Amino acid sequence: MNVDKSKEILEALVGFDTVSRNSNLKLIAWIEQYLDKLGVKHERIYDHTGEKSNLWATIGPKDVPGYILSGHTDVVPVDDQNWTDSPFKLTERDGKLYGRGSTDMKGYVACCLAAVPDMLKANLKKPLHLAFSYDEEVGCIGARGIVSKLPERPAHPIACFVGEPTEMDVVVGHKAKRSFKVTVRGRTCHSSLAPKGVNAVEYAARVIAKIRDISDRMAQKGTRDELYDVPFTTGHTGYLHGGTALNIVPDVATFEFEFRTIAADKSAMLVKEVIDYAKNDLEPEMKAVAPEAGYEFEDRSEFPGLDTAENAEVTLLAKQLSGRNSHSKVAYGTEAGLYSDAGVPTIVIGPGSIDQAHKADEFIAVSELEKCGKFLDRLIEHCAR
Ligand SMILES: [Zn+2]
C-alpha cells in the first residue's frame, strides 16, 4: 500500500461531514468514483430512509471464500469541542494527521482503498471484500444490513477484520452491551400526604439500587476475564429524571441503564432479574395504591460481544500479518460481534489509537497508516497464494 495515496484518500474522506446524524451518501459516491476508475464493481445497501448507505465491493473471485475488511464511514459529533483547526479538513503536523474520524476510523478505510490497486495487481485467489457501513457510532446499525446479505453471497467469508483503532494490536474480544429506558409511573399528591401517592422517584431508586446490587455481585462473584481492563460484567445507570418540587410527590421518573457483559455472562438473565424485581416485587404494592402506577421497560440498544478463540485460525493469521505474538480484549464495542454472530470469525485490528477517538484534535500518526499498509500488503500476499 502506498502511504501517500492513503493520506490523499484520508484527506478526501475527512472532508465529508459524516457525523452519524447526517447522510453519508456524498462520501459513498466519492468512494464509488474512486473504485470506478479502477474498474471495481460496488454495491450500495441503503437504510430505510435512503439517506444513508453501506458500500460493499469485492476484489478477486466472487465465488470462493475470502476476507472482509470492515470499516464505518460515520463519525461522532464535534459539537462543544475545542479544535485547533477545522475538524473536517485534514491537517498534518509533526507526523500526525488531525481531523474528525482520522483514527476512528476513516484512516483504516483510506488504507483499504489505497491498497485496492495492489489487490488488483496481485491476481488474488481468495477475494477481499470492502464493507463500509453507516451509523456504527449510534449502535452498529449499518453493518446489520451488510451481515444480513451475507447468506445471499456466492461464498461464505473465511474471516473479517474490523479496523477500529487498536494500534494494529490483535483484539479478540469485546463486551456485549444491552441498554433500557425505564419509565416509572406513580401518583402525585401533596408531600404531607405522601402515603396516599406513589412516589415515582423512590420506586425508580429501588430498581436502580437493584441494578447496583447485581453489578456488585458480578464484580465480587461473577466470572472473570483478565484480558479486560475491567475483568467482569458491569451494570450502570446513566441518568435519572423525576420530580419538580419538594412538596409534591412525583408521579413520573425516567432512567436508563445498561449491562456490559463478558462472553461467559448473558445480559438477558441480568435484565430478567431487574424486570422481575420491578414487576413482581414492587409493582403490586404500587398498584395497591394507584392502579395506573407501574414500570415500562423500553429496549434501547444492544450489540453482541466478540469472543474469538486465542487459537482460532483468524487469530493466528492476524498475528502473522501484523507481526505480533500477543492479543488483547477491549472495553469498547464494535461491529465485530455482528460478523462473529453471523458465523464469520472476526478480529478487531486497525491503525491509530482509541485514546484519540471521539475527542477534539483527533489524529492518526502517519506511522500507523504505514503499519496498517504492511498488514494489508501481507494479507494481499496471503490471498494471492
Ligand atoms: Zn469506530
Side-chain angles (χ1 to χ4, degrees), residues 188-210:
T188 188
C189 64
H190 192 276
S191 61
S192 62
L193 304 171
K196 292 188 184 294
V198 175
N199 189 316
V201 167
E202 290 175 2
Y203 278 100
R206 291 170 80 173
V207 174
I208 290 169
K210 178 72 175 177

Side-chain angles (χ1 to χ4, degrees), residues 72 74 103-105 136-137 164-165 332-333 354 357-358:
H72 61 81
D74 61 320
T103 195
D104 184 12
M105 60 184 286
E136 188 273 349
E137 296 288 3
E164 289 287 341
Y332 55 89
I354 196 72
H358 298 201

